[in-house]
Amino acid sequence: MPPEKAEALVIRLADFSESSRVVTFFTREFGKSSALAKGVKRLKGPFEGSIDLLAHVQIILYRKDHDALDLVTEAQLVSRFAPPSKEIFPLYAGYYVAELLDIGTEPHDPHAILFDEAIATLDRLSESTDPRFAIMRFELLLLREIGNLPGFTHCVHCETAATASRGSKFWVTASGLICEACGRPEYEHAAIQPGSVRLLQQLSTDEAPALQELSPTASQIKEVRRIVTAAVTHALDRKPKMLGYLKF
Ligand SMILES: [Zn+2]
C-alpha cells in the first residue's frame, strides 16, 4: 500500500534491534497498528526523538497485509503525555489507557471516537481534574465503543427507565441494571445506591460531563469502581495489569 498519514498515540514499545523498535500505535484513521520503526533510537533522523509511550504523533505509515508488521517512516510530535510530576496515580492511569487500547481493540479496526476520548483523557490526567473520574469515563467509553457497555439507563429485564431517585433500589449484572420490581430477595445484599447509578450514567453519556462538577460520595465512587472493574474484566476476559496499580 502507498504511504498514508495518520494521527496516532504510542501505546506500546518493544526493542527490535540496536537501532529499531516495534511501535504499537493506536491511530485515529486505521485503529491499532504495530509498525517497525527503523532507526528510531537515534536522536537525529525522521523520528526526531518523538516516539515515547503515550506520545501523540503524526506519522507516515505503510500498512501491510495480514500478519506482517506495518512500517512507520516518519513521526512528528504533537504532544507528550505530561502528568503532574509529583503524582504517580495520573502516570499509572495513562499507562492504563495505553494498555486498554492495546488489549481492548483489534488491529486495523478504527474507532475515531475512542481515539479522541483517549487524547481527552490524557489531557484530563495532566490537569487538575480528578483522575479517578477521567479513567472511569475512559473505561466506560471503551466498553461502549467495543459493544460491551452494560445498560445503565434502563432495567435490562423490564426496560423501565432507571431514574436514580432517592430510595430506589438497583442491582447490576454483567448486562446492566436491574430495577427493584425485577429484583429478587436473594440479591438484597448487593443492591447499589441510586447515587452510584447516577454516576455511572453521568460518566457514560455521549457528551463528556464536566468531571470536576461530579460530587458522589466516597462509597458511591467505591461502588462504581467495583462495577466498572467487573465490566472491564468481563469484556476483556482478564483483569488488565495496570488496574492493580489504580486502587480506589
Ligand atoms: Zn425491571
Side-chain angles (χ1 to χ4, degrees), residues 4-235:
E4 294 168 291
K5 284 187 185 173
E7 192 179 348
L9 193 62
V10 177
I11 56 171
R12 186 150 49 97
L13 289 164
D15 278 344
F16 184 79
S17 70
E18 214 159 284
S19 61
S20 305
R21 282 193 164 127
V22 174
V23 184
T24 305
F25 296 102
F26 187 70
T27 72
R28 192 171 196 281
E29 294 80 357
F30 315 115
K32 190 168 66 178
S33 156
S34 286
L36 183 61
K38 292 179 187 166
V40 71
K41 292 188 194 169
R42 294 187 205 110
L43 281 177
K44 288 187 179 168
F47 297 103
E48 300 171 343
S50 61
I51 302 286
D52 274 334
L53 191 62
L54 293 171
H56 177 191
V57 286
Q58 299 277 359
I59 58 172
I60 303 289
L61 193 66
Y62 290 76
R63 287 187 295 148
K64 302 288 167 78
D65 292 333
H66 308 300
D67 292 338
L69 284 174
D70 295 341
L71 183 68
V72 57
T73 55
E74 270 177 56
Q76 262 184 349
L77 187 67
V78 177
S79 61
R80 282 187 211 282
F81 177 47
S85 60
K86 283 181 185 151
E87 294 171 43
I88 200 78
F89 189 97
L91 179 69
Y92 285 167
Y95 293 163
Y96 181 45
V97 168
E99 183 184 10
L100 283 177
L101 290 171
D102 193 17
I103 67 176
T105 68
E106 297 297 322
H108 304 149
D109 175 26
H111 289 277
I113 292 174
L114 190 54
F115 179 87
D116 294 342
E117 194 64 32
I119 298 294
T121 301
L122 295 177
D123 284 347
R124 288 178 192 134
L125 293 174
S126 305
E127 297 159 0
S128 54
T129 314
D130 189 326
R132 299 173 302 174
F133 297 147
I135 207 67
M136 291 194 292
R137 159 79 183 169
F138 183 73
E139 291 171 290
L140 292 168
L141 238 287
L142 178 110
L143 291 177
R144 197 184 74 182
E145 277 292 305
I146 64 174
N148 277 296
L149 182 69
F152 295 130
T153 56
H154 294 76
C155 170
V156 293
H157 282 302
C158 69
E159 293 180 8
T160 302
T163 45
S165 56
R166 189 189 282 269
S168 47
K169 261 188 184 164
F170 297 98
W171 293 266
V172 174
T173 65
S175 48
L177 291 178
I178 296 173
C179 74
E180 186 161 17
C182 300
R184 303 271 177 278
E186 62 267 31
Y187 293 178
E188 193 62 38
H189 67 284
I192 70 163
Q193 304 171 45
S196 302
V197 171
R198 201 175 319 112
L199 181 59
L200 284 164
Q201 291 171 347
Q202 286 167 327
L203 290 172
S204 55
T205 49
D206 278 343
E207 283 300 307
L211 298 183
Q212 59 276 23
E213 285 164 21
L214 301 175
S215 53
T217 64
S219 74
Q220 287 163 357
I221 293 174
K222 227 179 171 64
E223 242 171 20
V224 168
R225 179 64 265 169
R226 179 171 56 75
I227 291 163
V228 176
T229 296
V232 166
T233 305
H234 179 77

